[in-house]
Amino acid sequence: MSATPNRAQTGSSRKAHSLRSLRAGAIWDVLPLRDRALLQWLLAGDIVTAQLASLLVYSQLRTAQRRLQRLVELGLVHGFWTGSAQRPRGRYAVVSLELV
C-alpha cells in the first residue's frame, strides 16, 4: 500500500472557464489585441515566424514564441518545422488554418 494518494484525474473534460471550451468566434473576442493583429496579418502574409512576429506585433522574441505556441494550442493557427538551403537547421513557423 502506497503512502501517496492516486492523483490521476479521471476524464479530460474541458473547464467551462478555459479558452479551449469556447467557439472560434468567441475566442476572437477574448484574444489580446496583439494576437488579433497577428492573425489579421497572417491572412495576408501567409507564413510568420517568431522573429517576424516579434517585429510586427510583439516587442520580445520570447513573448512572440510563447504567444504563437498558445495560438497553436488553441487551434487558431497551424505550426510546423521548416528548413531551406539558406537555413538547413530550419525554424518553427505558423500559417493560417485556411492555408493548411
Side-chain angles (χ1 to χ4, degrees), residues 12-76:
S12 62
S13 63
R14 295 179 176 178
K15 296 180 180 177
H17 61 279
S18 73
L19 284 178
R20 291 183 189 165
S21 66
L22 297 174
R23 298 179 346 275
I27 289 176
W28 181 261
D29 295 334
V30 297
L31 283 176
L33 290 176
R34 297 182 302 174
D35 291 350
R36 291 186 205 178
L38 181 69
L39 290 173
Q40 288 174 339
W41 189 90
L42 263 173
L43 291 175
D46 298 337
I47 296 176
V48 69
T49 61
Q51 289 84 3
L52 183 57
S54 67
L55 290 173
L56 292 172
V57 291
Y58 306 107
S59 58
Q60 300 293 321
L61 177 61
R62 183 64 187 132
T63 303
Q65 291 169 336
R66 280 184 319 184
R67 293 308 304 165
L68 287 175
Q69 183 60 36
R70 181 70 174 145
L71 293 174
V72 169
E73 289 172 2
L74 290 172
L76 298 174

